[in-house]
Amino acid sequence: MRVPLGVLALGLAVVGVASDHNNIDKERPLRFDDAYSIALGGLEFQNGLRYDPARRSWFGRSELQIGFARNRDLSIGWEPFSAPGQGLRSGALELSYFETLRRETEGFPAIGYRAEVSSTGGQPEARLRGIATRLLSGAAKVHLNLDLGLNSRRRGTFGGIVGFSLPQGYHTTYLGEIGWASGEKGGFVGVGMRRQMSTRGVLDLGVEASTVGRFRFTVGFSLGL
Amino acid sequence: MILVVTLSLLAAPPIPAWMSRPGADAVSYRRGSYNFAIHGIPRLARDMYGTGVGHAVAYEALATGRAANLESTVYDQIQRALKAPPGLPIDENVLSPVFSRRYGSLEKVFDWAHTLHFQTIDVLMHPGWAEARRDQEIERLWANYQAQPFAITGLPMNMDWLDSMPYSARFRTKFPKVNGLFWGYHWLQTSVYDMLFRVNSKDQAPQYEVLGDRYHAVELLKTNREVMPMTAELSPRFSKRFPQIANAFDNLHMLHDNVNDILASDEFTPGQKKAMIDEAIVRVLASTHQGETAGTGEAQGLHDHRHPPSQPGMGWMRGMEDDVMYMSGMGWMDMSVCSHCSVPLPEGPIWGATVSADGWTMTVRCLMCARDMAAETPGRAIIRAATEDPNRLLVLISDDEGNLSSNIPGVVFLEEMGEHPECAAWSRAFTSRAAFDRFVAEHPEFKSAEPFTLAEWQKRNAGRPMTYRKIDRPSPYIKPGGGR
C-alpha cells in the first residue's frame, strides 16, 4: 500500500517522553534488546530511518511504547519503506509485548522476553525473543538475545545476538553486536551509539555489516512523553 | 556487636513482599507540563544532577572495596564532578552499577523519593501557575508517590532514635569529608524549597546566586556539622505547608545516613550489611507506619511520631523540648518564637519574614527583625517577607557589604517603632506607595508614619531587642568528654 510522505513526517514530528540512553531497545540503533522494560506509566515514542545501500532502500520505523504495568510494556510499531520503483510503501505493522522477569542481582543476570506479531501486506509473522543482561566490568554490560520465529510461510526461524553496551560519561552509551539469523544467509556485526540530547530525547546512530557484504545505516530519535 | 545486630534484626518489622520480588519495578514520573522546569535555573539543575553523581560515585566505591580511597581519590573525583556537573538528568545506575544490583530494593526507594524531590521542585518553578494550583499539584504528586510500595512515610520520625543504631555515626567518623559532601547535598536539596515556595519564577534565580555560592564554597566542605540538615530548619515555610513531604525527605536523608554507616562498618559480612540495609529501609517505609498519626506514638522508638508543636514537618531531635531544639550553626533555638526578638510568632497563616544567611533559615516576626538579623550576620543574606498582597512575596538579597536589593522596585516600608510584641503590625512592607497609603488610611494609628524607601529603610538598625532571650545550653551532640 502506498502512503503519503506527509503521514510519515507527521509521525516523526510527535514530541514528548523521558528516554534513557542506557535503556536499549531493538533497532535503536542495533538489533538487540536489553532485558529491561520501560517504566510503569512511561510512554516512549521511537522513530528511526535505516538505509540499505545495496538495495538503495530506506526503511522508516515508528514505535510507541507504553509501560502499562510493572516491568511490562506494550508497543505498536510501523515500518514503512521506500525502494526504487515502488515509492513509499506501508511495510510491516507490529505489536509487541515485553516483560522483565527479573532484574540483575549479583548471582543472576536480568532476564526478559519479547513476544511479537507483525503483518506485512496481510502476511503474519510471530517472534519470541529471550533476553539476558549481565554486568561485565565497570558499567559495561553484555546482552544475550535468542530468537525463535514463525515466518509468513509458516516456517520456523531462529537466530541469536550477543550485544554489548558501554556507557561513557554521563550521557552516551556505545553499543556493539555480533549475531546470526537463519533467514539471512550469514551473520552480522554492528556498532552504534545512543546519546542523551535533552531531558526527554535520545539520538541513536548505528552501522551494521553482514558476512555477505551488505551494510545498513541507522539513525533514530526517541522521545519520552 | 554482632549479637546486638542479630537481635535487632530479629526484632525488626517484617520485610514487605515487594522487597523479595525480582522485578526491576521502575516507575515513571507523573506527567505534567511542569516537568524539568528546574532548567529555568540551569545552575540549580546542574547542581541537583551533581548530587546524584556524588551519591552514586561514593556508593560504588563503597560497594567495590575502595573505601580506603574514599577520602582521597574518590573525594577528589566527586569534587571534580561537582564543579562540572552534568547538564541533563543522569542514570545513577550507570555510575553505581555494582551498588545498584547488590541493593536493588534500596535503589527503588532512593529513585522514587528522588523523583518526588525533582517533581516538587519542578512544580514550584513552573511559571504561570497560581499558588493554589501548585499546592494542588504537589498534593497530587504526594498521593502519586504514596501509591507505590517503596514510598517513605510522611510521618515525622524520631531522628535521634534512627541515628542510634549500633553502627550509627561510623561514616561521619571514618569519612568526614565525604560525609560533609552528603550533608552538603542534603543541605542544597532542602534549602531550595523556601527559595521557590510562593516566590515568583523571576525572583527565584537571583536567590540561587546566593545559595549556590554558599553550597559550593561552604556547605560541601563542612566537616563539623553535628547532625544532618533538616528540611524544616532550612525551608520552614514549605515544611509547615507540606509537612508530610518535609518529613519524607528527612526520613530519606536519615536512611542515607544509616546506609552510609552500615557500609562503613568493616566488621559486618556482605550478607549482614544487606540485611541491615533492608531493615533500615523497612523502618522508614510508609507501609510500616500505616494507620499511625503525626504527633503520637511511643517515645524514643520506631513509632515515635512526635513533632515540635509549631512545626509538623520535623521529627523529634536529640534534646528537643517542645519547640526548643539544637540547630547546627545556631545553637539552641525556640521555633515558636521570633529568632531575633524571642517574641512568640503569630498563629495561623500570617507570617513576617524568614532570613537565610550563613547556611541557616530562621523565621522572624517582622521586617525590622529580618533586616537587623541579616545585618548582624556576616556574608550575604536573603530575606523573604510577606507584603499586603498575598500573591507578592518580597525578596531582599544583600551583598557582602549588607546592601539590599529588592525584587519589588517600588517597595515601601512602614516602621513606626512601638512595643516589640506588636512589631508585626508596625513593621511591614508594601508593594507600592499607594498600598502604603491605603494601609495608613485604614489604620489611623499610623497616620504620622513615614513611608521609607528601600535605601532609607536599610540604613536603619534597631539593634538586638531587649526581649531577646538566648538559650544557653551545650550542644547535645557533644559528649561531656568532648567527643560526639
Side-chain angles (χ1 to χ4, degrees):
Chain A
M1 184 178 75
R2 283 178 176 274
V3 293
L5 197 58
V7 172
L8 181 59
L10 184 68
L12 292 171
V14 172
V15 188
V17 223
S19 189
D20 177 0
H21 65 94
N22 196 39
N23 190 0
I24 301 151
D25 294 323
K26 67 163 191 164
E27 302 299 337
R28 296 276 54 85
L30 302 182
R31 298 197 200 190
F32 72 94
D33 281 290
D34 69 12
Y36 293 100
S37 67
I38 68 168
L40 170 66
L43 205 55
E44 185 163 322
F45 192 56
Q46 303 181 341
N47 292 284
L49 280 175
R50 193 173 77 233
Y51 182 61
D52 184 338
R55 288 195 275 178
R56 290 188 294 142
S57 300
W58 287 92
F59 297 83
R61 181 175 174 83
S62 289
E63 184 174 343
L64 182 68
Q65 294 185 333
I66 302 157
F68 72 97
R70 215 179 285 280
N71 305 309
R72 296 173 178 88
D73 66 56
L74 271 179
S75 60
I76 302 163
W78 177 43
E79 285 201 345
F81 68 95
S82 167
Q86 296 185 58
L88 185 65
R89 311 284 293 188
S90 65
L93 280 173
E94 192 178 278
L95 186 65
S96 174
Y97 170 84
F98 191 104
E99 180 170 354
T100 301
L101 296 172
R102 55 175 302 136
R103 65 180 173 80
E104 185 180 356
T105 57
E106 287 185 294
F108 217 81
I111 301 288
Y113 70 92
R114 180 189 287 281
E116 195 171 87
V117 289
S118 65
S119 170
T120 309
Q123 302 292 312
E125 294 187 16
R127 283 176 294 276
L128 182 68
R129 165 174 282 184
I131 308 154
T133 289
R134 182 94 181 132
L135 192 64
L136 286 176
S137 171
K141 288 181 178 176
V142 61
H143 312 271
L144 179 64
N145 287 202
L146 292 174
D147 295 331
L148 287 174
L150 199 62
N151 68 16
S152 55
R153 284 167 286 171
R154 306 258 173 116
R155 294 182 63 178
T157 61
F158 47 94
I161 309 172
V162 180
F164 300 92
S165 60
L166 177 63
Q168 284 287 297
Y170 298 125
H171 301 310
T172 304
T173 297
Y174 292 104
L175 307 168
E177 70 178 6
I178 181 165
W180 178 81
S182 62
E184 296 190 24
K185 296 177 189 157
F188 54 87
V189 293
V191 291
M193 64 169 287
R194 288 170 59 82
R195 169 92 181 151
Q196 196 83 37
M197 301 301 288
S198 69
T199 52
R200 298 167 187 263
V202 174
L203 174 75
D204 63 76
L205 297 167
V207 58
E208 187 189 287
S210 74
T211 51
V212 294
R214 286 176 63 172
F215 287 86
R216 60 182 225 173
F217 301 93
T218 306
V219 58
F221 200 77
S222 306
L223 288 164
L225 296 173
Chain B
M1 170 66 81
I2 300 295
L3 180 65
V4 171
V5 171
T6 308
L7 288 173
S8 86
L9 288 174
L10 288 173
I15 301 285
W18 69 267
M19 289 176 71
S20 314
R21 282 202 300 259
D25 295 346
V27 182
S28 178
Y29 52 77
R30 181 177 156 83
R31 268 187 289 284
S33 57
Y34 48 81
N35 283 316
F36 305 107
I38 191 172
H39 285 260
I41 307 177
R43 187 182 177 200
L44 170 60
R46 286 197 300 271
D47 283 340
M48 288 291 288
Y49 297 145
T51 65
V53 177
H55 279 109
V57 170
Y59 281 140
E60 190 66 0
L62 287 166
T64 53
R66 289 181 290 133
N69 300 331
L70 207 58
E71 291 281 279
S72 53
T73 53
V74 175
Y75 177 82
D76 293 342
Q77 181 192 352
I78 296 171
Q79 275 289 10
R80 282 195 298 276
L82 296 174
K83 283 174 185 157
L88 293 172
I90 59 156
D91 179 353
E92 289 184 30
N93 292 339
V94 170
L95 301 174
S96 55
V98 173
F99 177 83
S100 298
R101 76 174 177 181
R102 187 174 298 166
Y103 304 112
S105 300
L106 183 65
E107 276 295 296
K108 293 173 195 178
V109 174
F110 281 167
D111 284 351
W112 191 228
H114 294 159
T115 300
L116 179 69
H117 244 318
F118 273 99
Q119 290 210 277
T120 46
I121 289 171
D122 286 337
V123 169
L124 294 173
M125 289 185 66
H126 185 54
W129 272 13
E131 297 304 339
R133 191 170 177 194
R134 285 184 212 282
D135 286 7
Q136 206 172 39
E137 186 59 24
I138 289 175
E139 297 288 3
R140 286 193 188 118
L141 283 175
W142 175 251
N144 184 56
Y145 174 73
Q146 287 289 300
Q148 294 303 326
F150 24 86
I152 290 174
T153 181
L155 290 168
M157 291 194 67
N158 187 317
M159 293 289 135
D160 187 30
W161 182 79
L162 287 172
D163 199 29
S164 64
M165 300 297 138
Y167 43 75
S168 287
R170 293 282 175 82
F171 189 77
R172 73 194 79 150
T173 308
K174 283 175 79 172
F175 308 113
K177 284 162 64 183
V178 178
N179 185 68
L181 293 177
F182 269 81
W183 283 359
Y185 312 145
H186 298 167
W187 179 90
L188 174 71
Q189 289 164 342
T190 51
S191 292
V192 295
Y193 283 95
D194 265 18
M195 179 188 101
L196 306 171
F197 181 64
R198 300 284 188 263
V199 177
N200 286 335
S201 298
K202 70 175 178 56
D203 301 327
Q204 294 171 342
Q207 295 182 70
Y208 196 66
E209 290 303 309
V210 180
L211 291 183
D213 287 352
R214 171 92 197 173
Y215 168 62
H216 283 281
V218 181
E219 298 300 334
L220 282 173
L221 308 176
K222 259 189 186 172
T223 55
N224 62 349
R225 194 193 293 276
E226 293 103 324
V227 64
M228 73 172 199
M230 298 291 289
T231 310
E233 276 185 286
L234 297 161
S235 290
R237 296 185 60 232
F238 176 84
S239 301
K240 211 162 188 168
R241 174 62 185 84
F242 296 105
Q244 69 280 37
I245 295 179
N247 288 322
F249 290 159
D250 289 339
N251 298 337
L252 164 72
H253 294 162
M254 180 51 79
L255 176 60
H256 270 293
D257 277 7
N258 283 169
V259 169
N260 292 351
D261 291 334
I262 292 165
L263 294 177
S265 299
D266 296 330
E267 70 270 36
F268 304 134
T269 64
Q272 286 171 325
K273 287 184 180 180
K274 172 86 170 54
M276 283 186 281
I277 286 176
D278 283 350
E279 186 198 3
I281 293 170
V282 175
R283 279 199 294 265
V284 297
L285 286 178
S287 55
T288 304
H289 302 279
Q290 214 159 22
E292 296 167 15
T293 51
T296 61
E298 64 198 30
Q300 288 300 116
L302 175 64
H303 303 288
D304 182 355
H305 301 307
R306 291 174 296 162
H307 59 76
S310 71
Q311 180 51 277
M314 181 184 285
W316 209 250
M317 306 294 288
R318 186 177 298 179
M320 188 176 253
E321 289 171 14
D322 290 332
D323 283 310
V324 177
M325 69 171 279
Y326 183 85
M327 294 186 184
S328 199
M330 287 299 284
W332 288 92
M333 303 296 291
D334 185 339
M335 286 179 284
S336 67
V337 304
C338 171
S339 303
H340 191 245
C341 68
S342 302
V343 174
L345 292 166
E347 296 280 336
I350 301 163
W351 63 286
T354 58
V355 181
S356 296
D358 204 26
W360 42 254
T361 295
M362 292 290 157
T363 308
V364 292
R365 279 178 61 86
C366 66
L367 264 295
M368 186 183 73
C369 281
R371 178 197 62 208
D372 296 347
M373 192 172 188
E376 288 162 13
T377 311
R380 305 186 72 186
I382 302 168
I383 296 170
R384 306 177 190 101
T387 66
E388 87 291 349
D389 181 349
N391 295 315
R392 288 190 80 183
L393 192 86
L394 175 67
V395 180
L396 301 171
I397 299 177
S398 75
D399 62 18
D400 287 326
E401 276 77 49
N403 301 307
L404 294 168
S405 59
S406 168
N407 66 324
I408 300 174
V411 64
V412 173
F413 297 90
L414 168 74
E415 192 168 305
E416 185 77 352
M417 287 285 282
E419 291 295 317
H420 214 94
E422 307 300 324
C423 65
W426 50 256
S427 173
R428 286 168 170 262
F430 299 89
T431 55
S432 65
R433 174 64 192 267
F436 174 91
D437 290 342
R438 270 197 304 277
F439 180 81
V440 169
E442 288 163 12
H443 298 83
E445 65 271 30
F446 298 121
K447 64 175 187 262
S448 58
E450 187 184 344
F452 292 112
T453 64
L454 176 62
E456 294 163 340
W457 179 78
Q458 68 176 306
K459 285 183 198 149
R460 298 169 68 89
N461 191 321
R464 178 64 82 172
M466 298 287 286
T467 48
Y468 176 68
R469 295 286 176 272
K470 182 172 172 56
I471 306 171
D472 203 6
R473 291 186 212 164
S475 163
Y477 297 99
I478 307 290
K479 290 177 185 164
R484 288 187 201 176

